[in-house]
Amino acid sequence: TTAEEALPENGYRFKVATFLDSDGRPYSYLNAAGDGIDWSLHADGDQELRIQVHRHQWFIPQAKAWYTTRDERFIQSWMNTFDDWWATHPAPAAYPENNPPADAAGWIPLSVAARVQDMCSLMEYYRWSDAFAPVYLTRFLHRLALQVEFIKNNYWEDSNHRISQAQAVTLAGLLFPEMKQAAAWVSNGSTILNDEIVRQYYPDGWLKDNDLHYHIGSIESFRAAMLVAAANDQAGRFPADYVAALRKMVEVEKYLIYPNYASYNNAAGDFDYSTPNFGDTRPTSWTRNILLRHMRNYRDLFPDDEELKWLASQGAEGKAPAAGIKCFDDGGHYTIRNGWTAESTMMTLVN
């Protein structure tokens, strides 16, 4: 499993996105001496692997493994690995969007945002462990605060990454209200989210950079921040016009799904996904099960939408969306379909 592979006895095989070695396992970051971690190792030379290792994507699986098994190896591995990473990757003074420091790959603001969001979850698992003692809790909270402040001081101005950054700041403030800067974090993050849901989107709901991958991912950023705020008696942070804009974003995803979530496969088997592939969509990320989960989330968010009910239930309730032409004139994308069954035909025109 991801949690076990990352243990020292398994060679610090850290999960990084979908990168795997020739044996189908995560790459090992075991140093040459065999007694520690070498964060400079990047076996296949891919730039994305070099960047994403700093998102610590194996930390949550280890937390879940500890919570399920109470095996202390998982929490000890997490603490030791995090300590090692922190010691070897000091934060730069700044990370300008257009002139980032070459030796600070671990502090790309999007990676910092991913770490902060995961830390909000990690706390919920490990707070039950005796190993998560006051001394480590203090260290954990200090690192959380430093990273949130780093995001605040290094927001990207012209990127959809700004949405993820603002989500992380908002969540940290909502979920750690005891922190001195919590109120300022919530105010800062939620204000930016309210601004960006207008600034980065066309009136018809399309993300202006026309990237379906980030469009779908940003919906979750906006949705999660709003729901966590509501659960913490701060629903007013996200007013009605925010919700209306989010509904339009959901409409885009709804109409970009292949009929009945059916996977499109060509004769050579090169394609296996449920959305069109254009730009940087990365359609293999959006599997049938993930899209179904999205539709269920959206149905719960907009219970008056009969079409979302139909999509979420795979036709068991609600009303099927209309066939024919769906126009997103502002974004310049159009879908044409003759139905919503697996046998139906759909065409997407991309501007």
Side-chain angles (χ1 to χ4, degrees):
T1 67
T2 296
E4 291 172 332
E5 291 278 36
L7 294 172
E9 56 264 37
N10 291 324
Y12 297 111
R13 292 183 174 273
F14 299 148
K15 172 181 169 55
V16 182
T18 58
F19 294 101
L20 300 172
D21 66 15
S22 58
D23 295 325
R25 302 173 67 187
Y27 286 108
S28 171
Y29 286 80
L30 184 67
N31 65 18
D35 59 1
I37 303 169
D38 184 350
W39 294 100
S40 69
L41 293 175
H42 298 287
D44 71 352
D46 191 293
Q47 175 73 353
E48 198 65 19
L49 174 61
R50 187 180 77 88
I51 290 171
Q52 289 205 31
V53 68
H54 303 295
R55 297 183 189 178
H56 303 163
Q57 294 162 334
W58 62 97
F59 277 3
I60 294 291
Q62 283 194 318
K64 291 180 177 179
W66 175 85
Y67 188 81
T68 302
T69 66
R70 293 303 199 263
D71 185 334
E72 292 296 304
R73 293 180 304 157
F74 295 115
I75 188 169
Q76 290 298 333
S77 174
W78 165 64
M79 291 192 295
N80 293 339
T81 300
F82 198 12
D83 286 350
D84 188 272
W85 184 89
W86 196 265
T88 52
H89 294 83
Y95 200 106
E97 184 173 355
N98 297 318
N99 189 29
D103 60 347
W107 289 86
I108 292 176
L110 186 60
S111 295
V112 184
R115 292 199 300 267
V116 168
Q117 291 179 37
D118 281 355
M119 289 179 79
C120 292
S121 297
L122 286 168
M123 179 75 172
E124 292 305 306
Y125 294 103
Y126 286 139
R127 67 192 180 95
W128 305 101
S129 172
D130 291 339
F132 198 41
V135 63
Y136 204 85
L137 171 62
T138 302
R139 197 179 306 168
F140 176 89
L141 294 174
H142 170 72
R143 292 172 182 173
L144 175 75
L146 189 150
Q147 290 179 103
V148 174
E149 288 297 316
F150 186 87
I151 295 172
K152 282 182 59 185
N153 294 330
N154 294 277
Y155 274 113
W156 283 9
E157 292 295 331
D158 300 313
S159 170
N160 51 60
H161 294 181
R162 183 178 175 89
I163 297 168
S164 295
Q165 291 175 276
Q167 178 197 5
V169 173
T170 304
L171 294 182
L174 290 168
L175 297 173
F176 293 88
E178 303 85 357
M179 301 290 280
K180 289 182 178 180
Q181 297 299 317
W185 294 345
V186 178
S187 177
N188 173 271
S190 62
T191 297
I192 289 176
L193 288 173
N194 275 282
D195 291 342
E196 298 307 305
I197 205 168
V198 175
R199 187 172 76 96
Q200 293 204 38
Y201 291 82
Y202 293 114
D204 63 5
W206 260 103
L207 182 67
K208 287 183 179 178
D209 69 4
N210 290 322
D211 185 314
L212 187 59
H213 180 82
Y214 286 113
H215 180 101
I216 296 174
S218 293
I219 291 175
E220 184 57 24
S221 293
F222 290 119
R223 188 186 76 92
M226 182 176 68
L227 292 181
V228 174
N232 287 273
D233 299 321
Q234 297 196 49
R237 298 279 184 179
F238 301 104
D241 58 350
Y242 179 99
V243 180
L246 186 56
R247 185 189 287 265
K248 290 182 179 179
M249 296 165 64
V250 166
E251 189 85 348
V252 170
E253 183 178 348
K254 180 168 73 175
Y255 275 93
L256 265 292
I257 294 173
Y258 283 158
N260 198 34
Y261 307 97
S263 294
Y264 170 70
N265 295 275
N266 74 354
D270 290 339
F271 303 105
D272 183 17
Y273 40 76
S274 301
T275 65
N277 182 23
F278 59 89
D280 193 22
T281 296
R282 290 175 249 177
T284 53
S285 301
W286 310 115
T287 64
R288 178 188 182 94
N289 288 340
I290 289 175
L291 291 171
L292 273 170
R293 185 175 72 237
H294 288 184
M295 293 304 125
R296 293 175 188 131
N297 288 339
Y298 304 156
R299 172 201 59 196
D300 296 343
L301 196 61
F302 303 112
D304 60 320
D305 191 317
E306 293 295 315
E307 295 178 358
L308 287 174
K309 288 181 183 178
W310 189 89
L311 288 165
S313 66
Q314 296 182 271
E317 58 182 45
K319 177 183 177 182
I325 301 174
K326 177 65 176 179
C327 301
F328 294 99
D329 292 335
D330 300 314
H333 295 69
Y334 311 87
T335 61
I336 307 170
R337 69 178 78 229
N338 61 8
W340 285 85
T341 68
E343 294 74 30
S344 300
T345 300
M346 169 184 165
M347 177 184 290
T348 305
L349 303 179
V350 179
N351 183 350

